[in-house]
Amino acid sequence: MAKGTNKVVYKPDSQSTDEFMVIIEDAAALKKWKAGETSIPLTEIVDSFDVLHSGQGSQGILGRPSNQELDSVFGTHNQDEVVEMILKKGALQGGDAPEKTASKNDSHCAEAEDSRSQKALTAVVATAVDERTLLSHDQIHCIKLAVPPAICLDS
């Protein structure tokens, strides 16, 4: 089955706009793990151990929560423990792409899927904002290169 983009989203309170999420690599493995197959390593389930946070629900800007935020919500700021809690308590969102019925060029399909994944990742990175400086990561990169953002971002 082709992979889709999946995430597990945990809301600490049903009335809260806070959302904590983890990007999932293998939704089928997650379902087995939640059903009790704890022998499946989390590294096969999650894309990375990065926890993302939005204070404005699914429409908000994603960023990394502070250790203080993680401590107050999860009782720890240990990323591995927080990821495990999100997987246990959160809801799977997204979906698997429909199963392929026939393909004459699987390598081309894999390249196209990689290209779509790269474009999605590029879009997330381009719109991500550093919570401390409120600058985009592109603007921060320009500043580190000592290039005026107007020039750097136009290229």
Side-chain angles (χ1 to χ4, degrees):
M1 182 182 303
K3 292 180 184 176
T5 302
N6 294 291
K7 61 186 174 183
V8 172
V9 178
Y10 172 70
K11 290 183 74 158
D13 177 354
S14 62
Q15 301 299 317
S16 174
T17 58
D18 281 331
E19 289 187 350
F20 295 86
M21 63 195 75
V22 176
I23 305 300
I24 300 300
E25 177 71 25
D26 188 346
L30 171 66
K31 290 174 185 173
K32 290 178 184 176
W33 182 81
K34 286 183 101 169
E37 282 191 46
T38 56
S39 63
I40 300 172
L42 292 181
T43 54
E44 291 182 16
I45 297 171
V46 298
D47 184 55
S48 73
F49 281 81
D50 289 332
V51 175
L52 302 173
H53 171 258
S54 171
Q56 301 167 343
S58 60
Q59 301 301 314
I61 296 171
L62 290 177
R64 289 192 172 84
S66 68
N67 286 345
Q68 183 180 1
E69 287 175 300
L70 293 175
D71 282 332
S72 67
V73 173
F74 298 100
T76 182
H77 59 266
N78 178 298
Q79 290 284 331
D80 295 346
E81 292 176 20
V82 171
V83 166
E84 190 170 340
M85 284 186 228
I86 290 172
L87 294 178
K88 285 180 181 175
K89 298 177 181 179
L92 180 63
Q93 293 184 0
D96 290 329
E99 189 170 337
K100 292 192 291 183
T101 55
S103 174
K104 294 184 180 188
N105 191 346
D106 284 335
S107 66
H108 178 69
C109 292
E111 289 171 12
E113 186 173 315
D114 288 344
S115 175
R116 284 191 302 272
S117 298
Q118 186 61 41
K119 286 179 184 176
L121 181 60
T122 301
V124 168
V125 170
T127 59
V129 175
D130 186 290
E131 290 180 346
R132 293 169 286 171
T133 64
L134 298 179
L135 295 173
S136 74
H137 291 285
D138 286 343
Q139 290 170 320
I140 293 171
H141 180 71
C142 292
I143 292 169
K144 286 181 181 176
L145 294 174
V147 177
I151 296 170
C152 180
L153 297 176
D154 285 340
S155 56

